[in-house]
Amino acid sequence: MEGRARVVIVDACRSGAPVGSVTRLDGRADALPGWLRSVSSHGIGIAEAVGLARALDMLPERVEIWAIEGRGFAPGDALSPGVARAVSEVAGAIARALARTPLRPQD
């Protein structure tokens, strides 16, 4: 995140919402939901990564988090139809947002 003005994070989540639900969060908010604190297969959760960037004063001015509620998280699991739809919708929403607010060269 260092040196960026805007970061967009998209990840699967397990918050208890219906499969395929999308939650959009402002990563600069003081408190992120507890379900973002779980360590993922990446070795660190989103909340921890954002918190670390905040603590190191590397948090961009805009941090958007898009969390898509998943169903299965085992290696090799296929996307459910609801998750596949959500992925397509989120990709389109991000593309439209970036078209309205193009990134500056340092982004």
Side-chain angles (χ1 to χ4, degrees):
M1 292 188 215
E2 183 178 14
R4 302 292 179 203
R6 181 182 191 177
V7 171
V8 178
I9 300 168
V10 181
D11 204 359
C13 71
R14 187 177 292 166
S15 69
V19 172
S21 295
V22 176
T23 303
R24 185 174 179 194
L25 301 162
D26 176 355
R28 292 199 55 94
D30 289 338
L32 293 174
W35 48 265
L36 279 181
R37 299 193 186 290
S38 61
V39 175
S40 71
S41 61
H42 310 293
I44 185 171
I46 292 172
E48 290 83 4
V50 170
L52 181 59
R54 183 179 289 127
L56 296 173
D57 199 28
M58 294 179 177
L59 197 62
E61 59 188 70
R62 290 183 65 187
V63 180
E64 301 166 35
I65 301 168
W66 295 76
I68 301 172
E69 189 74 20
R71 177 181 65 188
F73 293 88
D77 279 352
L79 293 180
S80 68
V83 171
R85 275 191 302 279
V87 168
S88 179
E89 290 169 10
V90 167
I94 291 170
R96 288 187 297 279
L98 292 176
R100 285 190 306 271
T101 315
L103 298 176
R104 299 181 306 250
Q106 71 272 21
D107 293 348

